[in-house]
Amino acid sequence: MEKKDGKRRDKALSRDQVISAAIAILNESGESGLTFRTLAQRLVTGPGAIYNHVRNKEDLLAAAADVMIQSALSVNRDELAPDAAIRAVALDVFDIIDAHPWVGTELSRAPWQPAMLLIFDRIGANLQALGVPDRAQFHAASTVTNFILGAAAQQAAAIRLHADGAQRATLLSAAARAAIHQDKRSSPFLQRMAGNLTEHDDREQFSAGIDMILRGIRG
Amino acid sequence: MEKKDGKRRDKALSRDQVISAAIAILNESGESGLTFRTLAQRLVTGPGAIYNHVRNKEDLLAAAADVMIQSALSVNRDELAPDAAIRAVALDVFDIIDAHPWVGTELSRAPWQPAMLLIFDRIGANLQALGVPDRAQFHAASTVTNFILGAAAQQAAAIRLHADGAQRATLLSAAARAAIHQDKRSSPFLQRMAGNLTEHDDREQFSAGIDMILRGIRG
DNA sequence: ACCTGAACACCGTTCAAGT
DNA sequence: ACCTGAACACCGTTCAAGT
């Protein structure tokens, strides 16, 4: 990968450049690929220089995730009906995490993260038109957001497992298979769902979850 | 803290002992307090010995979380109506994470984790009695579980912030306050909810979320 | 078979010294 | 004011050597 622009030769290093370089590394190599040393190398500087532009690694990851979510939610959904708009926002988040799992991991690492608040806002913006009473809108938006965060973290973790596991593909991890096959009497529901667990489509499962919650928040 | 039993003097180190010691450290000092060195010190052995009983740190954390969730869900809820039972299971999980935030962080780190499957099973076990059609039960259980995982991760992260931030108490972090106060035009919903964000009760918010989802999965 | 603990290959972060 | 990069204080994990 070449540097994106020529600004570096005159020694001007900016916060945006640092974050962009971090995103590039994260998208190429995942979370484990991003260290202050690899990042400094890409920016042709020393690791200490990065601290002039971000407070620490947590700050860097939060800023990177915010850029990704902003980009994923930049499509205008104003012409959609409120329930379709909420579904669209949720699926936009799902798709960016499916493509870049590190975003999903990061979303639930810090609370009150800009990226998380942006999702919360975009969901909430459609509740009035959906007919949700004013006093219920805060809980409704937080319910949808928490569902998205939980599903995002699971999806990110599942993809991470895929990535370095290679051949197991759609199979559950060994630990889960063990859990399913032990205790046949004490977990009848899990036994009954074993087929769905191994064969379901993650995106369809996510979409169905949003639909159920929408039915519920509508009252 | 003294060792829990006298078994160690005769050199018998078991997987259960390793996991119990790890849980003790996690509950006392949080995730950052648990290293193979501190754990080995508590077990009066070398760090390498631990690898005879757990595969790696990920395996150790998953096993520790499973013990905590099993204990939190060991209360029998069979006498409750199905919706009350689901609410009780969810609040049991919330409360254990409120008391021991590391459990919430761990739950969404690995997919198909025994602890997560246990929650999924306990939720799902009540869906038949709730009148959810067979074909919708998988999605219903996964929706509730994903909501719980998302809320758990947020709650855990918020408590972690509390712990080392000290005085900020019920205040949002500086980053979130900045996000709320900038872009007043582009995030009207967030602006409108600023008061709720700083003053809401986390447990009540969680409980309201469960209620909304229950209304939705009932169809 | 299990323990021991030094060693390996890393981390994030700091800070004196430069420009 | 910002960069540089060595140094600090750690990590998880491995593995020869012991018992």
Side-chain angles (χ1 to χ4, degrees):
Chain A
M1 289 305 114
E2 285 297 311
K3 37 203 148 159
K4 280 231 173 63
D5 49 43
K7 279 180 199 155
R8 206 161 309 107
R9 61 174 59 101
D10 54 291
K11 297 284 182 185
L13 191 60
S14 70
R15 182 171 219 263
D16 282 353
Q17 263 177 66
V18 170
I19 293 164
S20 295
I23 289 173
I25 294 174
L26 287 162
N27 287 347
E28 287 163 20
S29 328
E31 282 194 274
S32 66
L34 180 69
T35 72
F36 278 81
R37 285 168 180 81
T38 59
L39 182 53
Q41 191 176 19
R42 182 180 282 253
L43 291 166
V44 198
T45 182
I50 296 164
Y51 286 86
N52 286 310
H53 302 98
V54 299
R55 194 154 35 232
N56 49 38
K57 194 169 188 181
E58 195 182 317
D59 180 33
L60 175 61
L61 283 167
D66 191 35
V67 169
M68 297 294 281
I69 295 295
Q70 277 194 48
S71 146
L73 299 185
S74 63
V75 186
N76 196 304
R77 304 296 194 184
D78 287 352
E79 79 287 359
L80 294 175
D83 59 340
I86 290 175
R87 227 191 319 270
V89 167
L91 285 171
D92 283 343
V93 174
F94 182 90
D95 288 337
I96 197 104
I97 284 155
D98 199 35
H100 306 293
W102 63 269
V103 180
T105 309
E106 173 51 25
L107 274 181
S108 45
R109 180 146 33 226
W112 316 121
Q113 216 178 2
M116 178 267 203
L117 291 173
L118 180 57
I119 297 170
F120 177 84
D121 179 72
R122 290 291 183 278
I123 298 293
N126 291 287
L127 295 177
Q128 194 76 48
L130 198 65
V132 178
D134 274 43
R135 69 183 180 290
Q137 290 184 16
F138 175 71
H139 285 154
S142 96
T143 302
V144 175
T145 304
N146 277 332
F147 167 78
I148 292 175
L149 294 184
Q154 283 295 303
Q155 182 66 4
I159 295 173
R160 209 163 45 227
L161 203 69
H162 261 231
D164 49 48
Q167 77 278 44
R168 40 197 148 180
T170 54
L171 292 177
L172 288 169
S173 80
R177 297 179 73 86
I180 290 173
H181 290 91
Q182 83 181 13
D183 284 340
K184 283 199 196 298
R185 285 159 314 166
S186 68
S187 56
F189 181 73
L190 196 57
Q191 301 308 320
R192 198 147 58 79
M193 292 297 139
N196 298 68
L197 278 168
T198 49
E199 286 163 32
H200 73 277
D201 179 272
D202 288 332
R203 197 173 192 275
E204 187 198 9
Q205 179 187 9
F206 179 81
S207 183
I210 291 289
D211 288 346
M212 284 182 174
I213 295 174
L214 281 176
R215 271 206 304 274
I217 66 178
R218 217 187 228 116
Chain B
M1 288 308 111
E2 286 296 311
K3 39 202 151 163
K4 281 232 173 62
D5 50 42
K7 280 181 198 156
R8 206 162 309 109
R9 60 176 58 100
D10 54 290
K11 297 285 183 185
L13 191 61
S14 69
R15 181 170 220 263
D16 282 352
Q17 264 177 67
V18 170
I19 292 165
S20 295
I23 289 173
I25 294 174
L26 287 162
N27 286 348
E28 287 163 22
S29 327
E31 282 194 276
S32 65
L34 179 69
T35 72
F36 278 81
R37 284 167 180 82
T38 59
L39 182 54
Q41 191 175 18
R42 183 181 280 254
L43 292 167
V44 197
T45 182
I50 296 163
Y51 286 87
N52 286 310
H53 302 98
V54 299
R55 195 156 32 232
N56 50 37
K57 194 169 188 181
E58 195 183 317
D59 181 32
L60 175 61
L61 283 167
D66 191 35
V67 169
M68 298 293 281
I69 294 294
Q70 276 193 47
S71 147
L73 299 185
S74 62
V75 186
N76 196 304
R77 305 295 194 185
D78 286 353
E79 81 285 0
L80 293 175
D83 58 342
I86 290 175
R87 226 190 322 269
V89 167
L91 286 170
D92 283 343
V93 174
F94 182 90
D95 289 337
I96 197 107
I97 283 156
D98 199 34
H100 307 294
W102 64 268
V103 180
T105 310
E106 173 51 26
L107 273 182
S108 46
R109 181 145 34 224
W112 316 122
Q113 217 178 3
M116 178 268 201
L117 291 172
L118 180 57
I119 296 169
F120 176 84
D121 179 71
R122 289 294 183 277
I123 297 293
N126 292 287
L127 295 175
Q128 193 76 48
L130 198 65
V132 177
D134 274 44
R135 70 184 179 290
Q137 290 185 15
F138 175 71
H139 285 154
S142 97
T143 301
V144 175
T145 304
N146 277 332
F147 167 78
I148 292 175
L149 295 184
Q154 283 294 303
Q155 181 67 2
I159 295 173
R160 209 163 45 226
L161 202 69
H162 261 233
D164 50 48
Q167 77 278 43
R168 40 197 148 180
T170 53
L171 293 177
L172 287 171
S173 81
R177 296 178 74 85
I180 290 173
H181 289 91
Q182 81 180 16
D183 284 341
K184 284 197 195 298
R185 285 158 313 165
S186 67
S187 57
F189 181 73
L190 195 57
Q191 301 307 321
R192 197 147 59 80
M193 292 298 139
N196 298 68
L197 277 169
T198 49
E199 285 163 33
H200 73 277
D201 179 273
D202 289 332
R203 197 173 191 276
E204 187 198 9
Q205 179 186 10
F206 179 81
S207 183
I210 292 289
D211 287 346
M212 284 184 176
I213 295 173
L214 281 176
R215 271 206 305 275
I217 66 179
R218 217 187 228 114

